[in-house]
Amino acid sequence: MIDLRQAAISDAAELARIQVDSWQAFTDIFTPAYMASHNTFEHRFLYWMNVLTRDSDRTYLISDNGRNIGYVTLGYPKDEYTSVGALELIAIYLKTEAIGKGYGAYIMRRLFTSIKAAGYNHLSLWVLKDNQRAINFYRHFEFEFDGIEMTLPIHGAILQTRMSRPL
């Protein structure tokens, strides 16, 4: 049975392990130097300790029959181009062993239902412009590019573009 539960500070290590594993998909996007310095358990653990103590966004661990397979983070959009009633899908990451097994689709459908029931009418997300796999996944769920882009100044310019959809 697939379950989501809100992550606690005690989950920082598990979230770090999931993120390090799932970021293996970005080795062709980020430079080896960036990956070596940022995609480490230690770096990600400190990141999660910081995020979970701030309590601004909501991160949920995804488990299947009690085994953690990923996480999803939702929050309020942090850019000026956002409409009222909107939320941002900040992250959805699955362990590499869980990719392609329908978990992502299940989570997206569940998010749409719960977000809409909570009174929100719009969902946006940022995707790396070179991450075609993620773009295809989001397009499958009717996300469209909305023309807003930004550059991440990390080991060279990495372009992100925003996708969004009404609920």
Side-chain angles (χ1 to χ4, degrees), residues 44-76:
R44 292 295 158 197
F45 177 74
L46 293 174
Y47 166 83
W48 280 109
M49 288 298 291
N50 184 30
V51 166
L52 294 170
T53 55
R54 278 194 320 237
D55 198 37
S56 58
D57 299 324
R58 294 286 181 252
T59 297
Y60 301 89
L61 270 167
I62 305 165
S63 64
D64 186 7
N65 291 317
R67 189 175 56 88
N68 293 323
I69 58 166
Y71 68 85
V72 60
T73 302
L74 293 167
Y76 295 108

PDB file of all heavy atoms in Angstrom, residues 44-76:
ATOM      1  N   ARG A  44      23.438  16.766   1.712  1.00  0.00           N
ATOM      2  CA  ARG A  44      21.979  16.652   1.681  1.00  0.00           C
ATOM      3  C   ARG A  44      21.394  16.515   3.089  1.00  0.00           C
ATOM      4  O   ARG A  44      20.307  17.025   3.356  1.00  0.00           O
ATOM      5  CB  ARG A  44      21.541  15.493   0.797  1.00  0.00           C
ATOM      6  CG  ARG A  44      21.835  15.739  -0.655  1.00  0.00           C
ATOM      7  CD  ARG A  44      21.016  16.897  -1.163  1.00  0.00           C
ATOM      8  NE  ARG A  44      21.607  17.476  -2.348  1.00  0.00           N
ATOM      9  CZ  ARG A  44      21.309  18.662  -2.830  1.00  0.00           C
ATOM     10  NH1 ARG A  44      20.432  19.419  -2.227  1.00  0.00           N
ATOM     11  NH2 ARG A  44      21.883  19.119  -3.904  1.00  0.00           N
ATOM     12  N   PHE A  45      22.072  15.855   3.995  1.00  0.00           N
ATOM     13  CA  PHE A  45      21.590  15.729   5.370  1.00  0.00           C
ATOM     14  C   PHE A  45      21.502  17.111   6.018  1.00  0.00           C
ATOM     15  O   PHE A  45      20.486  17.455   6.629  1.00  0.00           O
ATOM     16  CB  PHE A  45      22.498  14.815   6.182  1.00  0.00           C
ATOM     17  CG  PHE A  45      22.096  14.709   7.628  1.00  0.00           C
ATOM     18  CD1 PHE A  45      20.989  13.966   8.009  1.00  0.00           C
ATOM     19  CD2 PHE A  45      22.809  15.377   8.603  1.00  0.00           C
ATOM     20  CE1 PHE A  45      20.597  13.889   9.338  1.00  0.00           C
ATOM     21  CE2 PHE A  45      22.432  15.307   9.943  1.00  0.00           C
ATOM     22  CZ  PHE A  45      21.318  14.563  10.302  1.00  0.00           C
ATOM     23  N   LEU A  46      22.540  17.919   5.871  1.00  0.00           N
ATOM     24  CA  LEU A  46      22.510  19.277   6.434  1.00  0.00           C
ATOM     25  C   LEU A  46      21.411  20.114   5.780  1.00  0.00           C
ATOM     26  O   LEU A  46      20.728  20.890   6.448  1.00  0.00           O
ATOM     27  CB  LEU A  46      23.872  19.951   6.272  1.00  0.00           C
ATOM     28  CG  LEU A  46      25.000  19.327   7.101  1.00  0.00           C
ATOM     29  CD1 LEU A  46      26.326  19.976   6.750  1.00  0.00           C
ATOM     30  CD2 LEU A  46      24.703  19.432   8.586  1.00  0.00           C
ATOM     31  N   TYR A  47      21.245  19.932   4.480  1.00  0.00           N
ATOM     32  CA  TYR A  47      20.170  20.628   3.768  1.00  0.00           C
ATOM     33  C   TYR A  47      18.818  20.272   4.385  1.00  0.00           C
ATOM     34  O   TYR A  47      18.008  21.158   4.700  1.00  0.00           O
ATOM     35  CB  TYR A  47      20.208  20.257   2.282  1.00  0.00           C
ATOM     36  CG  TYR A  47      18.964  20.657   1.535  1.00  0.00           C
ATOM     37  CD1 TYR A  47      18.799  21.952   1.061  1.00  0.00           C
ATOM     38  CD2 TYR A  47      17.933  19.741   1.308  1.00  0.00           C
ATOM     39  CE1 TYR A  47      17.651  22.331   0.383  1.00  0.00           C
ATOM     40  CE2 TYR A  47      16.786  20.113   0.630  1.00  0.00           C
ATOM     41  CZ  TYR A  47      16.648  21.398   0.170  1.00  0.00           C
ATOM     42  OH  TYR A  47      15.510  21.771  -0.502  1.00  0.00           O
ATOM     43  N   TRP A  48      18.560  18.992   4.576  1.00  0.00           N
ATOM     44  CA  TRP A  48      17.270  18.562   5.107  1.00  0.00           C
ATOM     45  C   TRP A  48      17.075  18.980   6.564  1.00  0.00           C
ATOM     46  O   TRP A  48      15.962  19.321   6.961  1.00  0.00           O
ATOM     47  CB  TRP A  48      17.063  17.060   4.914  1.00  0.00           C
ATOM     48  CG  TRP A  48      16.633  16.793   3.508  1.00  0.00           C
ATOM     49  CD1 TRP A  48      17.354  16.196   2.519  1.00  0.00           C
ATOM     50  CD2 TRP A  48      15.394  17.181   2.921  1.00  0.00           C
ATOM     51  NE1 TRP A  48      16.635  16.196   1.345  1.00  0.00           N
ATOM     52  CE2 TRP A  48      15.430  16.793   1.570  1.00  0.00           C
ATOM     53  CE3 TRP A  48      14.259  17.835   3.394  1.00  0.00           C
ATOM     54  CZ2 TRP A  48      14.367  17.022   0.703  1.00  0.00           C
ATOM     55  CZ3 TRP A  48      13.195  18.061   2.530  1.00  0.00           C
ATOM     56  CH2 TRP A  48      13.261  17.652   1.196  1.00  0.00           C
ATOM     57  N   MET A  49      18.111  18.959   7.336  1.00  0.00           N
ATOM     58  CA  MET A  49      17.980  19.435   8.719  1.00  0.00           C
ATOM     59  C   MET A  49      17.537  20.904   8.716  1.00  0.00           C
ATOM     60  O   MET A  49      16.665  21.303   9.484  1.00  0.00           O
ATOM     61  CB  MET A  49      19.295  19.273   9.486  1.00  0.00           C
ATOM     62  CG  MET A  49      19.626  17.835   9.835  1.00  0.00           C
ATOM     63  SD  MET A  49      18.398  17.051  10.912  1.00  0.00           S
ATOM     64  CE  MET A  49      18.662  17.952  12.429  1.00  0.00           C
ATOM     65  N   ASN A  50      18.113  21.694   7.839  1.00  0.00           N
ATOM     66  CA  ASN A  50      17.756  23.104   7.717  1.00  0.00           C
ATOM     67  C   ASN A  50      16.310  23.262   7.241  1.00  0.00           C
ATOM     68  O   ASN A  50      15.531  24.024   7.819  1.00  0.00           O
ATOM     69  CB  ASN A  50      18.732  23.801   6.773  1.00  0.00           C
ATOM     70  CG  ASN A  50      18.470  25.287   6.668  1.00  0.00           C
ATOM     71  OD1 ASN A  50      17.993  25.922   7.600  1.00  0.00           O
ATOM     72  ND2 ASN A  50      18.783  25.843   5.519  1.00  0.00           N
ATOM     73  N   VAL A  51      15.946  22.549   6.185  1.00  0.00           N
ATOM     74  CA  VAL A  51      14.592  22.661   5.623  1.00  0.00           C
ATOM     75  C   VAL A  51      13.537  22.238   6.645  1.00  0.00           C
ATOM     76  O   VAL A  51      12.535  22.927   6.840  1.00  0.00           O
ATOM     77  CB  VAL A  51      14.467  21.810   4.337  1.00  0.00           C
ATOM     78  CG1 VAL A  51      13.017  21.634   3.923  1.00  0.00           C
ATOM     79  CG2 VAL A  51      15.272  22.432   3.212  1.00  0.00           C
ATOM     80  N   LEU A  52      13.764  21.119   7.302  1.00  0.00           N
ATOM     81  CA  LEU A  52      12.749  20.587   8.212  1.00  0.00           C
ATOM     82  C   LEU A  52      12.618  21.412   9.497  1.00  0.00           C
ATOM     83  O   LEU A  52      11.556  21.414  10.113  1.00  0.00           O
ATOM     84  CB  LEU A  52      13.044  19.123   8.537  1.00  0.00           C
ATOM     85  CG  LEU A  52      12.922  18.175   7.331  1.00  0.00           C
ATOM     86  CD1 LEU A  52      13.466  16.808   7.678  1.00  0.00           C
ATOM     87  CD2 LEU A  52      11.491  18.096   6.822  1.00  0.00           C
ATOM     88  N   THR A  53      13.654  22.119   9.888  1.00  0.00           N
ATOM     89  CA  THR A  53      13.535  22.972  11.076  1.00  0.00           C
ATOM     90  C   THR A  53      12.861  24.306  10.747  1.00  0.00           C
ATOM     91  O   THR A  53      12.295  24.935  11.627  1.00  0.00           O
ATOM     92  CB  THR A  53      14.898  23.240  11.747  1.00  0.00           C
ATOM     93  OG1 THR A  53      15.792  23.785  10.786  1.00  0.00           O
ATOM     94  CG2 THR A  53      15.466  21.968  12.326  1.00  0.00           C
ATOM     95  N   ARG A  54      12.914  24.732   9.483  1.00  0.00           N
ATOM     96  CA  ARG A  54      12.239  25.984   9.081  1.00  0.00           C
ATOM     97  C   ARG A  54      10.732  25.826   9.041  1.00  0.00           C
ATOM     98  O   ARG A  54      10.008  26.769   9.263  1.00  0.00           O
ATOM     99  CB  ARG A  54      12.722  26.429   7.703  1.00  0.00           C
ATOM    100  CG  ARG A  54      14.024  27.169   7.728  1.00  0.00           C
ATOM    101  CD  ARG A  54      14.238  27.846   6.398  1.00  0.00           C
ATOM    102  NE  ARG A  54      13.831  26.997   5.294  1.00  0.00           N
ATOM    103  CZ  ARG A  54      14.613  26.636   4.301  1.00  0.00           C
ATOM    104  NH1 ARG A  54      15.849  27.050   4.257  1.00  0.00           N
ATOM    105  NH2 ARG A  54      14.172  25.866   3.331  1.00  0.00           N
ATOM    106  N   ASP A  55      10.276  24.650   8.663  1.00  0.00           N
ATOM    107  CA  ASP A  55       8.844  24.350   8.654  1.00  0.00           C
ATOM    108  C   ASP A  55       8.051  25.294   7.746  1.00  0.00           C
ATOM    109  O   ASP A  55       6.933  25.677   8.059  1.00  0.00           O
ATOM    110  CB  ASP A  55       8.294  24.388  10.092  1.00  0.00           C
ATOM    111  CG  ASP A  55       6.954  23.684  10.201  1.00  0.00           C
ATOM    112  OD1 ASP A  55       6.777  22.665   9.519  1.00  0.00           O
ATOM    113  OD2 ASP A  55       6.095  24.173  10.956  1.00  0.00           O
ATOM    114  N   SER A  56       8.611  25.669   6.588  1.00  0.00           N
ATOM    115  CA  SER A  56       7.879  26.548   5.689  1.00  0.00           C
ATOM    116  C   SER A  56       7.173  25.766   4.585  1.00  0.00           C
ATOM    117  O   SER A  56       6.029  26.055   4.255  1.00  0.00           O
ATOM    118  CB  SER A  56       8.805  27.600   5.088  1.00  0.00           C
ATOM    119  OG  SER A  56       9.861  26.986   4.409  1.00  0.00           O
ATOM    120  N   ASP A  57       7.833  24.783   4.001  1.00  0.00           N
ATOM    121  CA  ASP A  57       7.230  23.939   2.982  1.00  0.00           C
ATOM    122  C   ASP A  57       6.828  22.620   3.643  1.00  0.00           C
ATOM    123  O   ASP A  57       7.227  22.338   4.768  1.00  0.00           O
ATOM    124  CB  ASP A  57       8.230  23.670   1.848  1.00  0.00           C
ATOM    125  CG  ASP A  57       8.659  24.961   1.150  1.00  0.00           C
ATOM    126  OD1 ASP A  57       7.822  25.869   1.007  1.00  0.00           O
ATOM    127  OD2 ASP A  57       9.831  25.051   0.765  1.00  0.00           O
ATOM    128  N   ARG A  58       6.068  21.813   2.948  1.00  0.00           N
ATOM    129  CA  ARG A  58       5.646  20.520   3.479  1.00  0.00           C
ATOM    130  C   ARG A  58       6.245  19.405   2.639  1.00  0.00           C
ATOM    131  O   ARG A  58       6.013  19.339   1.429  1.00  0.00           O
ATOM    132  CB  ARG A  58       4.124  20.388   3.463  1.00  0.00           C
ATOM    133  CG  ARG A  58       3.420  21.332   4.394  1.00  0.00           C
ATOM    134  CD  ARG A  58       3.586  20.863   5.839  1.00  0.00           C
ATOM    135  NE  ARG A  58       2.899  21.750   6.746  1.00  0.00           N
ATOM    136  CZ  ARG A  58       3.503  22.597   7.561  1.00  0.00           C
ATOM    137  NH1 ARG A  58       4.795  22.685   7.590  1.00  0.00           N
ATOM    138  NH2 ARG A  58       2.808  23.365   8.364  1.00  0.00           N
ATOM    139  N   THR A  59       7.010  18.565   3.290  1.00  0.00           N
ATOM    140  CA  THR A  59       7.609  17.410   2.633  1.00  0.00           C
ATOM    141  C   THR A  59       6.949  16.155   3.169  1.00  0.00           C
ATOM    142  O   THR A  59       6.753  16.016   4.376  1.00  0.00           O
ATOM    143  CB  THR A  59       9.127  17.362   2.865  1.00  0.00           C
ATOM    144  OG1 THR A  59       9.711  18.532   2.270  1.00  0.00           O
ATOM    145  CG2 THR A  59       9.754  16.128   2.243  1.00  0.00           C
ATOM    146  N   TYR A  60       6.619  15.258   2.261  1.00  0.00           N
ATOM    147  CA  TYR A  60       5.966  14.003   2.614  1.00  0.00           C
ATOM    148  C   TYR A  60       6.808  12.839   2.108  1.00  0.00           C
ATOM    149  O   TYR A  60       7.191  12.806   0.931  1.00  0.00           O
ATOM    150  CB  TYR A  60       4.573  13.932   1.990  1.00  0.00           C
ATOM    151  CG  TYR A  60       3.681  15.062   2.425  1.00  0.00           C
ATOM    152  CD1 TYR A  60       3.658  16.260   1.725  1.00  0.00           C
ATOM    153  CD2 TYR A  60       2.893  14.944   3.561  1.00  0.00           C
ATOM    154  CE1 TYR A  60       2.854  17.314   2.135  1.00  0.00           C
ATOM    155  CE2 TYR A  60       2.089  15.993   3.978  1.00  0.00           C
ATOM    156  CZ  TYR A  60       2.078  17.175   3.265  1.00  0.00           C
ATOM    157  OH  TYR A  60       1.292  18.221   3.677  1.00  0.00           O
ATOM    158  N   LEU A  61       7.099  11.907   2.992  1.00  0.00           N
ATOM    159  CA  LEU A  61       7.772  10.679   2.596  1.00  0.00           C
ATOM    160  C   LEU A  61       6.765   9.786   1.890  1.00  0.00           C
ATOM    161  O   LEU A  61       5.610   9.670   2.328  1.00  0.00           O
ATOM    162  CB  LEU A  61       8.321   9.938   3.815  1.00  0.00           C
ATOM    163  CG  LEU A  61       9.729  10.294   4.228  1.00  0.00           C
ATOM    164  CD1 LEU A  61      10.043   9.735   5.605  1.00  0.00           C
ATOM    165  CD2 LEU A  61      10.747   9.806   3.217  1.00  0.00           C
ATOM    166  N   ILE A  62       7.196   9.162   0.825  1.00  0.00           N
ATOM    167  CA  ILE A  62       6.360   8.217   0.084  1.00  0.00           C
ATOM    168  C   ILE A  62       6.863   6.824   0.431  1.00  0.00           C
ATOM    169  O   ILE A  62       8.058   6.540   0.296  1.00  0.00           O
ATOM    170  CB  ILE A  62       6.481   8.435  -1.437  1.00  0.00           C
ATOM    171  CG1 ILE A  62       6.152   9.886  -1.807  1.00  0.00           C
ATOM    172  CG2 ILE A  62       5.604   7.443  -2.194  1.00  0.00           C
ATOM    173  CD1 ILE A  62       6.585  10.272  -3.215  1.00  0.00           C
ATOM    174  N   SER A  63       5.964   5.976   0.878  1.00  0.00           N
ATOM    175  CA  SER A  63       6.368   4.602   1.186  1.00  0.00           C
ATOM    176  C   SER A  63       5.428   3.613   0.515  1.00  0.00           C
ATOM    177  O   SER A  63       4.268   3.935   0.217  1.00  0.00           O
ATOM    178  CB  SER A  63       6.402   4.367   2.703  1.00  0.00           C
ATOM    179  OG  SER A  63       5.109   4.505   3.242  1.00  0.00           O
ATOM    180  N   ASP A  64       5.946   2.447   0.264  1.00  0.00           N
ATOM    181  CA  ASP A  64       5.161   1.348  -0.290  1.00  0.00           C
ATOM    182  C   ASP A  64       5.347   0.163   0.649  1.00  0.00           C
ATOM    183  O   ASP A  64       6.470  -0.332   0.807  1.00  0.00           O
ATOM    184  CB  ASP A  64       5.622   1.002  -1.700  1.00  0.00           C
ATOM    185  CG  ASP A  64       4.743  -0.048  -2.362  1.00  0.00           C
ATOM    186  OD1 ASP A  64       3.694  -0.414  -1.780  1.00  0.00           O
ATOM    187  OD2 ASP A  64       5.101  -0.504  -3.460  1.00  0.00           O
ATOM    188  N   ASN A  65       4.273  -0.229   1.295  1.00  0.00           N
ATOM    189  CA  ASN A  65       4.318  -1.314   2.280  1.00  0.00           C
ATOM    190  C   ASN A  65       5.403  -1.080   3.331  1.00  0.00           C
ATOM    191  O   ASN A  65       6.163  -1.989   3.669  1.00  0.00           O
ATOM    192  CB  ASN A  65       4.500  -2.661   1.590  1.00  0.00           C
ATOM    193  CG  ASN A  65       3.261  -3.046   0.805  1.00  0.00           C
ATOM    194  OD1 ASN A  65       2.147  -2.884   1.284  1.00  0.00           O
ATOM    195  ND2 ASN A  65       3.462  -3.530  -0.409  1.00  0.00           N
ATOM    196  N   GLY A  66       5.491   0.160   3.803  1.00  0.00           N
ATOM    197  CA  GLY A  66       6.411   0.504   4.876  1.00  0.00           C
ATOM    198  C   GLY A  66       7.841   0.788   4.453  1.00  0.00           C
ATOM    199  O   GLY A  66       8.678   1.152   5.263  1.00  0.00           O
ATOM    200  N   ARG A  67       8.148   0.657   3.170  1.00  0.00           N
ATOM    201  CA  ARG A  67       9.499   0.909   2.665  1.00  0.00           C
ATOM    202  C   ARG A  67       9.517   2.261   1.964  1.00  0.00           C
ATOM    203  O   ARG A  67       8.753   2.497   1.025  1.00  0.00           O
ATOM    204  CB  ARG A  67       9.884  -0.203   1.681  1.00  0.00           C
ATOM    205  CG  ARG A  67      11.330  -0.194   1.244  1.00  0.00           C
ATOM    206  CD  ARG A  67      11.627  -1.398   0.368  1.00  0.00           C
ATOM    207  NE  ARG A  67      10.752  -1.501  -0.783  1.00  0.00           N
ATOM    208  CZ  ARG A  67      10.968  -0.923  -1.963  1.00  0.00           C
ATOM    209  NH1 ARG A  67      12.035  -0.190  -2.159  1.00  0.00           N
ATOM    210  NH2 ARG A  67      10.113  -1.090  -2.954  1.00  0.00           N
ATOM    211  N   ASN A  68      10.375   3.175   2.444  1.00  0.00           N
ATOM    212  CA  ASN A  68      10.457   4.518   1.860  1.00  0.00           C
ATOM    213  C   ASN A  68      11.028   4.452   0.455  1.00  0.00           C
ATOM    214  O   ASN A  68      12.093   3.878   0.230  1.00  0.00           O
ATOM    215  CB  ASN A  68      11.311   5.430   2.736  1.00  0.00           C
ATOM    216  CG  ASN A  68      10.663   5.695   4.068  1.00  0.00           C
ATOM    217  OD1 ASN A  68       9.448   5.834   4.158  1.00  0.00           O
ATOM    218  ND2 ASN A  68      11.454   5.756   5.113  1.00  0.00           N
ATOM    219  N   ILE A  69      10.296   5.062  -0.495  1.00  0.00           N
ATOM    220  CA  ILE A  69      10.726   5.013  -1.896  1.00  0.00           C
ATOM    221  C   ILE A  69      10.909   6.398  -2.498  1.00  0.00           C
ATOM    222  O   ILE A  69      11.400   6.521  -3.610  1.00  0.00           O
ATOM    223  CB  ILE A  69       9.729   4.217  -2.755  1.00  0.00           C
ATOM    224  CG1 ILE A  69       8.325   4.842  -2.664  1.00  0.00           C
ATOM    225  CG2 ILE A  69       9.712   2.750  -2.351  1.00  0.00           C
ATOM    226  CD1 ILE A  69       7.364   4.347  -3.718  1.00  0.00           C
ATOM    227  N   GLY A  70      10.511   7.458  -1.792  1.00  0.00           N
ATOM    228  CA  GLY A  70      10.648   8.790  -2.355  1.00  0.00           C
ATOM    229  C   GLY A  70      10.072   9.846  -1.438  1.00  0.00           C
ATOM    230  O   GLY A  70       9.727   9.569  -0.291  1.00  0.00           O
ATOM    231  N   TYR A  71       9.989  11.049  -1.977  1.00  0.00           N
ATOM    232  CA  TYR A  71       9.362  12.143  -1.247  1.00  0.00           C
ATOM    233  C   TYR A  71       8.808  13.164  -2.215  1.00  0.00           C
ATOM    234  O   TYR A  71       9.183  13.218  -3.393  1.00  0.00           O
ATOM    235  CB  TYR A  71      10.329  12.798  -0.251  1.00  0.00           C
ATOM    236  CG  TYR A  71      11.474  13.562  -0.866  1.00  0.00           C
ATOM    237  CD1 TYR A  71      11.332  14.890  -1.256  1.00  0.00           C
ATOM    238  CD2 TYR A  71      12.709  12.963  -1.039  1.00  0.00           C
ATOM    239  CE1 TYR A  71      12.384  15.592  -1.806  1.00  0.00           C
ATOM    240  CE2 TYR A  71      13.773  13.660  -1.584  1.00  0.00           C
ATOM    241  CZ  TYR A  71      13.604  14.966  -1.968  1.00  0.00           C
ATOM    242  OH  TYR A  71      14.645  15.666  -2.510  1.00  0.00           O
ATOM    243  N   VAL A  72       7.895  13.962  -1.700  1.00  0.00           N
ATOM    244  CA  VAL A  72       7.311  15.061  -2.458  1.00  0.00           C
ATOM    245  C   VAL A  72       7.264  16.272  -1.528  1.00  0.00           C
ATOM    246  O   VAL A  72       6.992  16.128  -0.334  1.00  0.00           O
ATOM    247  CB  VAL A  72       5.912  14.687  -3.005  1.00  0.00           C
ATOM    248  CG1 VAL A  72       4.935  14.347  -1.899  1.00  0.00           C
ATOM    249  CG2 VAL A  72       5.348  15.780  -3.897  1.00  0.00           C
ATOM    250  N   THR A  73       7.569  17.444  -2.083  1.00  0.00           N
ATOM    251  CA  THR A  73       7.538  18.688  -1.310  1.00  0.00           C
ATOM    252  C   THR A  73       6.633  19.689  -2.010  1.00  0.00           C
ATOM    253  O   THR A  73       6.762  19.918  -3.218  1.00  0.00           O
ATOM    254  CB  THR A  73       8.955  19.281  -1.153  1.00  0.00           C
ATOM    255  OG1 THR A  73       9.799  18.319  -0.526  1.00  0.00           O
ATOM    256  CG2 THR A  73       8.927  20.547  -0.320  1.00  0.00           C
ATOM    257  N   LEU A  74       5.734  20.269  -1.243  1.00  0.00           N
ATOM    258  CA  LEU A  74       4.824  21.304  -1.720  1.00  0.00           C
ATOM    259  C   LEU A  74       5.043  22.575  -0.916  1.00  0.00           C
ATOM    260  O   LEU A  74       5.405  22.514   0.259  1.00  0.00           O
ATOM    261  CB  LEU A  74       3.370  20.873  -1.540  1.00  0.00           C
ATOM    262  CG  LEU A  74       2.896  19.704  -2.373  1.00  0.00           C
ATOM    263  CD1 LEU A  74       1.557  19.207  -1.864  1.00  0.00           C
ATOM    264  CD2 LEU A  74       2.791  20.113  -3.836  1.00  0.00           C
ATOM    265  N   GLY A  75       4.798  23.707  -1.536  1.00  0.00           N
ATOM    266  CA  GLY A  75       4.911  24.973  -0.834  1.00  0.00           C
ATOM    267  C   GLY A  75       4.206  26.071  -1.592  1.00  0.00           C
ATOM    268  O   GLY A  75       3.640  25.848  -2.662  1.00  0.00           O
ATOM    269  N   TYR A  76       4.263  27.242  -1.017  1.00  0.00           N
ATOM    270  CA  TYR A  76       3.700  28.401  -1.700  1.00  0.00           C
ATOM    271  C   TYR A  76       4.729  28.904  -2.706  1.00  0.00           C
ATOM    272  O   TYR A  76       5.927  28.949  -2.412  1.00  0.00           O
ATOM    273  CB  TYR A  76       3.346  29.499  -0.706  1.00  0.00           C
ATOM    274  CG  TYR A  76       2.246  29.076   0.238  1.00  0.00           C
ATOM    275  CD1 TYR A  76       2.523  28.809   1.571  1.00  0.00           C
ATOM    276  CD2 TYR A  76       0.948  28.917  -0.230  1.00  0.00           C
ATOM    277  CE1 TYR A  76       1.502  28.403   2.431  1.00  0.00           C
ATOM    278  CE2 TYR A  76      -0.070  28.512   0.620  1.00  0.00           C
ATOM    279  CZ  TYR A  76       0.217  28.248   1.946  1.00  0.00           C
ATOM    280  OH  TYR A  76      -0.772  27.835   2.788  1.00  0.00           O
TER     281      TYR A  76
END
